[in-house]
Amino acid sequence: MTKQIHLTRRSPYYWRVTINRPPLNIFGPDTIPQLNDAITAIETDEQVKVVVFDSAIEGFFLTHYDFLAKIEDTTSLPLGPTGLQPLPDMLVRLSRAPVASIALIRGRATGVAGIVPGGGPMARLPRLIGRGRALEVFLVADDFPGDLAERYGYVNRSLPDAELDEFVDSLASRIASFDKRAISETKRFIDVASLPPDYEIAPEWDVSFASIMRPAAQDRIKKLMEQGFHKPGDVENRLGYYVGQVGR
Amino acid sequence: MTKQIHLTRRSPYYWRVTINRPPLNIFGPDTIPQLNDAITAIETDEQVKVVVFDSAIEGFFLTHYDFLAKIEDTTSLPLGPTGLQPLPDMLVRLSRAPVASIALIRGRATGVAGIVPGGGPMARLPRLIGRGRALEVFLVADDFPGDLAERYGYVNRSLPDAELDEFVDSLASRIASFDKRAISETKRFIDVASLPPDYEIAPEWDVSFASIMRPAAQDRIKKLMEQGFHKPGDVENRLGYYVGQVGR
Amino acid sequence: MTKQIHLTRRSPYYWRVTINRPPLNIFGPDTIPQLNDAITAIETDEQVKVVVFDSAIEGFFLTHYDFLAKIEDTTSLPLGPTGLQPLPDMLVRLSRAPVASIALIRGRATGVAGIVPGGGPMARLPRLIGRGRALEVFLVADDFPGDLAERYGYVNRSLPDAELDEFVDSLASRIASFDKRAISETKRFIDVASLPPDYEIAPEWDVSFASIMRPAAQDRIKKLMEQGFHKPGDVENRLGYYVGQVGR
């Protein structure tokens, strides 16, 4: 199996996890065990303090789920240690890991509209950006430029492309200079104040999966596929636009 | 009785609710049953996916309660299906309705300071814009321009007047093209993560009503009335300013 | 003992609490009883409606804890009426006091990184600015300019120096013109919706104190002291920079 998730140790304290599933960084069932290995390493390593997630693919940070994969490849995966399905399990574990994690998002980070999203976003996003804006993000389901994402509080900061790498590297290096125990204890308190309980996240996955299986969504996905979904090109480059056209 | 709340079906999926109580869109006890009919239709219709609330009155979206109405006209109204008083009942039901709702606010949306507001705002606003800014909004009780409201996260977006209609229409049409069940299931998850419990909203109404009845508020309202409150003119146009003068 | 906390009554309704511990407004154990007197007065006075906290020291609003003070001077202080340690006790009581409180922050408001902060910030800040930005504030632990603090929602507003006094005075005078009972009842509802429970705040102090006692933090503080920490000069003026250098 090709390596999609690359873990690089810039130092014992500062790691990078780079997503590399050409050509579009579509997330599939085969990505899950690889990402799980990275998360487990982050959870259990005694030295790492900060992890930056980035992408090796130009124009794409991480895109929607792989709708061409066989359903059994997803449904046959065992539940994770939290009792959640593998994808939300890993996201929850990363949230609680005793390190700082930073997403260096360069390029698209997409989902697919017309379905209920799964994995925790509906429990998390309203707590981050407020109810009204979260409703807009989910129900309008359009592309979202970085500057608007910053205004909404969806991302911490939107930076010019030329400054992004240095900015993130500087933050990560700074965090890496601090005491790991102080980082993990501080984060644990923030977790108590800000993480949704797992029981809010658990039902999202089943409802999301059921929504994908419904004829309305299958028809929508089929139409997008006919136009070039899952292939490099305009549909993936402007997915928000095409998602808005397909139901009219 | 004059029709104050107009429900227009732009399509089976996309409705408008237009508030039209000339000359100022003051909300009164006679508005309540009409708005209730609209909310009930939104809750029970099997096709509607998105509802835009707007105003037919230039300069005013929706203003404060009608302090000229007889108190019994308000207090005699029966509790709603949620067990809350009619106004908070409708607002709570709209929050939970299985559709997207959008407020197209053109013009003033006011309350009256010197009293405790009722209907749920104190339970809702701190969750939307944070404690510090919510305290400012309620305790300073001044007019709030749209751009500042956007910076505070009070509204999703502040737009130039010339762009507002097209922007909202485009959002609503887009939502109307999606699957109703996906919309309602997604919203239900967001509700769990972001709506205050009804028991936080219930006591607001009684405390608000009691605060209006106190001599301090009655005196304040009387002075505002003498200056032109409830009539078209400078007091209603710059209510924040006059509210700040009346207690000095 | 020198007076560090000055309570001035601009009117029976509008008070100022001015912090004056030259040369840097470092907060020490000897500040606690004085601040406690001010908080008690705010809690129990029957007329005061709004309190503005400001600083008498140019360039500094309120800085980190006094690491030169004897530890016993801090640990020997009795628990406050809430059952919390004196500093978080006072902050919690101020949050719940039946008045509006405004921090007029002119100059630095710092902590010290490499330790777990104490007193409630981790319970409070994620609720104010969201999880992602709160993690950045605590784990990156760098200086934060006012405009960025406003964009993050950390402060309500960032204003040009020349406008700050008049803006705050205008807000405070306006609030002082309203009904005290309406202010306190409104605030109590906002408290229910936005204050963290005391049991989230209680453990922060002990964990913070233990983190300061660890060799990693003691070494860090010692190095900073050698460079000029706790004295007027570049280390206190650019504490974020020096905190980022000391562990590399």
Side-chain angles (χ1 to χ4, degrees):
Chain A
M1 181 171 289
T2 321
K3 204 158 170 52
Q4 302 172 24
I5 302 291
H6 298 260
L7 198 159
T8 317
R9 289 168 177 78
R10 294 212 170 180
S11 85
Y13 314 119
Y14 169 11
W15 295 3
R16 289 257 170 165
V17 173
T18 303
I19 309 159
N20 184 29
R21 195 185 190 236
L24 294 166
N25 267 2
I26 291 173
F27 191 95
D30 51 336
T31 318
I32 289 179
Q34 295 194 27
L35 183 56
N36 192 58
D37 288 347
I39 303 291
T40 304
I42 291 166
E43 282 177 313
T44 53
D45 187 88
E46 293 185 5
Q47 292 190 285
V48 63
K49 302 175 191 175
V50 58
V51 181
V52 173
F53 288 78
D54 59 14
S55 160
I57 305 290
E58 195 179 326
F60 293 86
F61 175 71
L62 185 59
T63 33
H64 50 79
Y65 207 73
D66 186 350
F67 293 104
L68 295 172
K70 276 182 288 179
I71 285 169
E72 310 84 72
D73 290 350
T74 298
T75 53
S76 64
L77 292 165
L79 298 182
T82 61
L84 295 167
Q85 297 86 355
L87 181 56
D89 171 78
M90 290 188 295
L91 298 176
V92 159
R93 283 162 51 210
L94 178 60
S95 299
R96 292 199 196 118
V99 305
S101 69
I102 300 174
L104 187 169
I105 302 172
R106 173 176 274 125
R108 296 160 190 79
T110 65
V112 181
I115 62 163
V116 180
M122 292 169 295
R124 286 198 190 92
L125 197 60
R127 288 177 163 89
L128 196 64
I129 68 174
R131 171 179 173 79
R133 288 173 169 177
L135 282 162
E136 181 188 334
V137 167
F138 288 121
L139 300 184
V140 176
D142 205 350
D143 289 339
F144 230 72
D147 288 349
L148 183 61
E150 181 189 295
R151 271 160 58 201
Y152 272 30
Y154 200 158
V155 298
N156 282 22
R157 310 225 196 165
S158 171
L159 293 154
D161 191 83
E163 297 171 22
L164 181 58
D165 288 317
E166 193 184 324
F167 180 83
V168 171
D169 192 53
S170 163
L171 282 200
S173 301
R174 186 177 171 94
I175 295 171
S177 79
F178 295 140
D179 177 38
K180 180 172 168 72
R181 187 163 162 192
I183 292 170
S184 64
E185 289 179 346
T186 299
K187 193 179 171 198
R188 205 162 53 206
F189 279 117
I190 299 171
D191 288 352
V192 169
S194 65
L195 281 183
D198 288 1
Y199 62 74
E200 273 191 37
I201 289 172
E204 285 191 18
W205 189 261
D206 292 333
V207 174
S208 171
F209 200 83
S211 83
I212 295 169
M213 293 295 104
R214 284 201 295 270
Q218 288 294 317
D219 180 53
R220 185 176 291 270
I221 292 167
K222 186 163 164 276
K223 281 185 189 156
L224 284 170
M225 289 288 189
E226 288 163 6
Q227 293 180 294
F229 192 38
H230 282 63
K231 280 177 258 175
D234 204 47
V235 174
E236 290 285 354
N237 288 345
R238 298 196 298 141
L239 189 54
Y241 172 77
Y242 285 91
V243 162
Q245 292 302 312
V246 84
R248 297 193 189 216
Chain B
M1 183 170 290
T2 320
K3 203 157 171 52
Q4 301 173 22
I5 303 290
H6 298 260
L7 196 159
T8 317
R9 289 167 178 79
R10 295 214 169 178
S11 84
Y13 313 118
Y14 170 12
W15 295 3
R16 290 256 171 166
V17 172
T18 303
I19 309 159
N20 185 29
R21 195 184 189 238
L24 294 167
N25 267 3
I26 291 172
F27 192 95
D30 52 337
T31 318
I32 289 179
Q34 294 193 29
L35 183 56
N36 193 57
D37 288 347
I39 302 292
T40 304
I42 290 165
E43 282 177 312
T44 54
D45 187 87
E46 294 185 3
Q47 293 190 284
V48 63
K49 302 175 192 174
V50 56
V51 182
V52 173
F53 288 78
D54 59 14
S55 160
I57 306 290
E58 195 179 327
F60 293 86
F61 175 71
L62 185 59
T63 32
H64 49 80
Y65 207 73
D66 186 350
F67 293 103
L68 295 172
K70 276 183 288 181
I71 284 169
E72 311 83 74
D73 289 350
T74 297
T75 53
S76 65
L77 291 165
L79 298 182
T82 61
L84 295 167
Q85 297 87 353
L87 181 56
D89 171 77
M90 290 189 295
L91 298 176
V92 159
R93 283 162 52 211
L94 179 61
S95 298
R96 292 199 195 117
V99 306
S101 68
I102 300 173
L104 188 169
I105 302 171
R106 173 177 274 124
R108 296 160 189 79
T110 65
V112 180
I115 62 163
V116 180
M122 292 170 295
R124 286 198 189 93
L125 198 60
R127 288 176 163 90
L128 196 64
I129 68 173
R131 172 177 172 81
R133 288 172 169 177
L135 282 162
E136 180 189 335
V137 167
F138 289 121
L139 300 184
V140 177
D142 205 350
D143 289 337
F144 229 73
D147 287 349
L148 183 61
E150 182 189 296
R151 271 161 56 202
Y152 272 29
Y154 200 160
V155 298
N156 282 22
R157 310 224 198 167
S158 172
L159 293 155
D161 191 84
E163 296 171 23
L164 180 59
D165 289 316
E166 193 183 324
F167 180 83
V168 171
D169 192 53
S170 163
L171 281 200
S173 301
R174 185 176 171 95
I175 295 171
S177 79
F178 295 139
D179 177 39
K180 180 172 168 75
R181 187 161 162 195
I183 292 169
S184 63
E185 289 178 347
T186 300
K187 194 180 170 196
R188 205 163 54 207
F189 280 116
I190 298 170
D191 288 353
V192 170
S194 65
L195 281 183
D198 287 3
Y199 62 74
E200 273 191 36
I201 290 172
E204 285 191 18
W205 190 261
D206 293 332
V207 174
S208 171
F209 200 83
S211 82
I212 296 169
M213 293 295 104
R214 283 201 294 269
Q218 288 294 318
D219 180 54
R220 185 175 291 269
I221 292 168
K222 184 162 167 278
K223 280 185 189 155
L224 285 170
M225 290 288 188
E226 289 164 5
Q227 294 179 292
F229 193 37
H230 282 64
K231 281 177 257 172
D234 203 47
V235 174
E236 290 286 354
N237 288 347
R238 298 196 297 142
L239 188 53
Y241 171 78
Y242 285 91
V243 163
Q245 292 302 311
V246 84
R248 295 191 191 220
Chain C
M1 182 171 291
T2 321
K3 205 159 170 50
Q4 303 173 22
I5 302 289
H6 299 260
L7 197 159
T8 318
R9 289 168 178 78
R10 295 212 169 179
S11 85
Y13 314 118
Y14 170 11
W15 296 3
R16 290 257 170 165
V17 172
T18 303
I19 309 159
N20 184 28
R21 194 182 190 240
L24 294 167
N25 267 3
I26 291 174
F27 192 96
D30 51 337
T31 318
I32 289 180
Q34 295 193 28
L35 183 55
N36 192 58
D37 288 347
I39 303 291
T40 304
I42 291 166
E43 282 177 313
T44 54
D45 187 88
E46 293 185 5
Q47 293 190 285
V48 62
K49 303 175 191 175
V50 57
V51 182
V52 173
F53 289 79
D54 59 15
S55 161
I57 306 290
E58 195 180 327
F60 293 85
F61 175 70
L62 185 59
T63 34
H64 50 80
Y65 207 73
D66 186 350
F67 292 104
L68 295 173
K70 276 182 288 180
I71 285 170
E72 310 83 74
D73 289 349
T74 298
T75 53
S76 64
L77 291 164
L79 298 182
T82 62
L84 294 167
Q85 296 86 355
L87 180 56
D89 171 77
M90 290 189 295
L91 298 176
V92 159
R93 282 162 53 210
L94 179 60
S95 298
R96 294 200 193 117
V99 306
S101 68
I102 301 173
L104 188 168
I105 302 171
R106 174 177 272 123
R108 295 160 190 79
T110 65
V112 181
I115 62 163
V116 180
M122 292 169 294
R124 287 197 188 92
L125 198 60
R127 288 174 164 91
L128 196 65
I129 68 174
R131 171 178 173 79
R133 288 172 170 178
L135 282 162
E136 180 188 334
V137 167
F138 289 121
L139 300 185
V140 176
D142 205 349
D143 289 338
F144 230 72
D147 288 349
L148 183 62
E150 182 189 295
R151 271 159 58 202
Y152 272 28
Y154 200 159
V155 298
N156 282 21
R157 310 223 198 169
S158 171
L159 293 155
D161 191 84
E163 297 172 23
L164 181 58
D165 289 317
E166 193 184 324
F167 180 83
V168 170
D169 191 54
S170 163
L171 280 200
S173 302
R174 185 176 171 95
I175 295 172
S177 79
F178 296 139
D179 177 40
K180 180 173 168 76
R181 186 161 163 195
I183 291 169
S184 64
E185 289 179 346
T186 300
K187 193 180 171 197
R188 204 163 53 206
F189 280 116
I190 299 170
D191 287 353
V192 170
S194 65
L195 281 183
D198 288 2
Y199 61 74
E200 274 191 35
I201 290 172
E204 285 191 17
W205 190 261
D206 293 332
V207 174
S208 171
F209 200 84
S211 82
I212 295 170
M213 293 295 104
R214 283 202 293 271
Q218 287 296 317
D219 180 54
R220 186 176 291 269
I221 291 167
K222 185 164 166 276
K223 281 186 189 157
L224 284 169
M225 289 289 188
E226 289 163 5
Q227 294 180 292
F229 192 38
H230 282 63
K231 281 178 254 170
D234 204 47
V235 173
E236 290 285 353
N237 289 346
R238 298 195 299 140
L239 189 53
Y241 171 77
Y242 284 90
V243 162
Q245 291 302 311
V246 83
R248 299 195 189 217

